[in-house]
Amino acid sequence: MEAKFDFIRYSNCWEDSENLLKSLEIRGRRGASILSAGDNTLAMLLGDPESITAFDINPTQIHLFYLKKAGFEMLSHRDLLALLGIGGTERSWALFQSLEPVMDPEAFRYFYEHPEFFEKGIVHIGKFERYFQIFRDRVVPLFTTKRKMAKLAAFHDIEAQKKYYDRWVNNRRMKAIFKVFFGFRMMGKLGRDRAFYNYVEDKENSASNIKKTADSGMGRIPNWNNPYMTYVLTNQFTEDALPYYLQEQFHETIRSRLDRIEVKRGTLQELDGRYGFFNLSDIFEYMSEEQFEENIQKLRELSVPGARVAYYNMQNRRYLPGTEFRYLKELSERQTMATKSYFYRDFVVYEVGENK
């Protein structure tokens, strides 16, 4: 079974941009980045790179990036949020049409043929986002109320947040339902792709592993300005909880550096050149051990001495060999604990030694 790549799988990136900016030593370097929804690639422009080669095998994800890129080029911060459907969708279609002069023609045609995307809101149209919408609309009422979930999303105080979560949300019904809804069968069908679990070693405990990290995060990270949990709990972003790249203070800086991003359709194996940093998302989740080894070899070829490599583990435990990739343990553990996207197992950072 192979994953399909003919639709938008992610409207938003679900890995914390701040981890990348604090870990990759981006300034003045050439980098490579998994594109996905484009959010983290855009955010890394704030690190002042020389350039970023953004790559993805899914053409619709590339179309989505070009939409966001054109929005930065042409629109004010307020209008960019409106284009993406944050705070309402009344003006989204008209704003999209205004982007035609600067937007990639193929991407423009794709979205022009899907006006329903703008009626729903661009940030809500991905398969993964629809999964969270099903969770809130159909599953949450089985163990608590939407009002209580909205209140949970608003806490500033971590101790009070954890107490509220344990009393009003994390009940027996929730624990039982969580095991089913976030298990690999349901998530593979409704959220990600069944093929993504081909190489997961501990499928049966996948929901339990996610639950452990979620419970831990609920006691470490306040929800009020956490875009990931705000979306999961309320199915929307708020002014206080926007993805990092969409925060107003960064708008002009990102706009001024858009020409530093080059997009390529393909995989890590198809890149060439040499790079000083890599954002690899959770790419190794979806590979066999043989493919993992092939990608390690490719990383050796692509890396300059001292390059930084960062990625997430969610279900699997995939780690680079210490002979050539020095694991930055303290940094990795600190950023894992700080990440607002805390349903991942860990966030790991490596520094590349001299190529052999």
Side-chain angles (χ1 to χ4, degrees):
M1 183 188 299
E2 294 186 359
K4 295 181 180 179
F5 297 106
D6 56 354
F7 59 92
I8 293 175
R9 190 174 295 281
Y10 304 102
S11 290
N12 312 280
C13 287
W14 289 89
E15 304 93 20
D16 193 340
S17 303
E18 292 183 76
N19 278 344
L20 302 173
L21 287 164
K22 292 176 180 178
S23 303
L24 286 180
E25 296 189 342
I26 292 169
R27 184 179 299 277
R29 290 182 165 191
R30 299 180 66 237
S33 174
I34 296 282
L35 188 58
S36 184
D39 307 5
N40 286 339
T41 300
L42 289 163
M44 286 193 297
L45 291 175
L46 298 168
D48 200 15
E50 177 185 329
S51 65
I52 301 176
T53 299
F55 61 99
D56 205 292
I57 198 171
N58 186 340
T60 61
Q61 297 294 155
I62 294 174
H63 295 334
L64 178 60
F65 168 75
Y66 281 132
L67 173 68
K68 294 179 179 181
K69 177 176 181 286
F72 270 99
E73 282 189 67
M74 292 283 287
L75 303 177
S76 67
H77 177 258
R78 176 173 173 270
D79 284 350
L80 176 61
L81 297 185
L83 169 74
L84 299 178
I86 298 174
T89 61
E90 297 82 3
R91 298 190 297 125
S92 301
W93 179 248
L95 288 167
F96 159 67
Q97 290 179 294
S98 74
L99 301 180
E100 184 175 11
V102 300
M103 192 167 168
D104 175 82
E106 187 177 347
F108 185 87
R109 286 194 297 272
Y110 173 77
F111 282 104
Y112 191 81
E113 293 171 358
H114 293 283
E116 71 277 10
F117 289 172
F118 297 92
E119 294 171 11
K120 185 173 181 59
I122 292 297
V123 294
H124 305 302
I125 60 174
K127 182 180 180 182
F128 200 57
E129 287 72 22
R130 293 197 300 272
Y131 182 58
F132 288 132
Q133 292 155 23
I134 293 169
F135 174 69
R136 184 170 183 270
D137 291 342
R138 302 183 189 179
V139 179
V140 164
L142 300 176
F143 64 86
T144 189
T145 67
K146 293 180 182 179
R147 182 181 64 81
K148 286 186 172 68
M149 294 292 266
K151 184 173 181 178
L152 181 61
F155 277 96
H156 287 62
D157 181 84
I158 297 174
E159 184 177 350
Q161 173 179 289
K162 186 63 165 64
K163 287 181 178 178
Y164 188 89
Y165 170 70
D166 287 337
R167 180 174 182 182
W168 298 109
V169 177
N170 193 27
N171 53 42
R172 290 182 181 178
R173 283 173 294 171
M174 188 268 206
K175 293 172 184 176
I177 291 167
F178 197 101
K179 288 181 180 179
V180 176
F181 192 77
F182 290 97
F184 77 93
R185 294 178 181 86
M186 193 68 72
M187 187 177 282
K189 180 179 180 181
L190 299 178
R192 305 182 95 186
D193 193 290
R194 289 179 181 176
F196 288 178
Y197 288 85
N198 288 349
Y199 305 108
V200 171
E201 299 158 359
D202 191 15
K203 292 186 180 71
E204 296 301 329
N205 289 316
S206 59
S208 297
N209 293 333
I210 295 171
K211 182 70 164 55
K212 288 177 184 177
T213 57
D215 289 347
S216 174
M218 199 63 69
R220 289 186 288 107
I221 310 293
N223 286 335
W224 72 277
N225 66 346
N226 183 339
Y228 312 104
M229 287 310 300
T230 295
Y231 193 94
V232 171
L233 297 172
T234 69
N235 288 168
Q236 61 185 344
F237 296 118
T238 67
E239 185 176 339
D240 289 326
L242 287 172
Y244 201 71
Y245 82 109
L246 286 178
Q247 294 180 23
E248 185 172 9
Q249 67 266 32
F250 303 136
H251 187 78
E252 291 303 322
T253 300
I254 291 175
R255 186 210 298 268
S256 70
R257 297 174 180 173
L258 291 170
D259 61 353
R260 302 187 193 184
I261 298 175
E262 177 188 13
V263 176
K264 291 188 176 183
R265 183 181 176 189
T267 66
L268 182 70
Q269 290 289 335
E270 295 167 275
L271 295 187
D272 52 21
R274 302 291 297 280
Y275 301 95
F277 65 88
F278 297 84
N279 159 38
L280 298 182
S281 182
D282 58 351
I283 184 176
F284 301 134
E285 289 282 309
Y286 318 125
M287 296 179 181
S288 67
E289 286 290 342
E290 181 180 0
Q291 291 169 324
F292 181 45
E293 290 297 326
E294 291 172 353
N295 276 270
I296 291 173
Q297 178 57 36
K298 186 64 177 181
L299 274 174
R300 293 186 184 105
E301 297 170 8
L302 294 172
S303 299
V304 300
R308 290 282 179 96
V309 180
Y311 62 89
Y312 289 81
N313 286 307
M314 185 172 182
Q315 306 291 347
N316 280 336
R317 292 181 174 90
R318 293 282 173 83
Y319 301 105
L320 303 182
T323 50
E324 295 148 282
F325 299 89
R326 183 169 67 93
Y327 175 51
L328 303 181
K329 184 175 186 292
E330 183 179 344
L331 175 61
S332 299
E333 291 179 350
R334 182 172 67 249
Q335 292 308 125
T336 294
M337 294 300 289
T339 181
K340 294 179 179 178
S341 183
Y342 51 64
F343 33 74
Y344 290 95
R345 183 189 298 274
D346 58 12
F347 172 75
V348 293
V349 187
Y350 292 86
E351 189 168 88
V352 182
E354 294 286 344
N355 290 349
K356 302 295 184 183

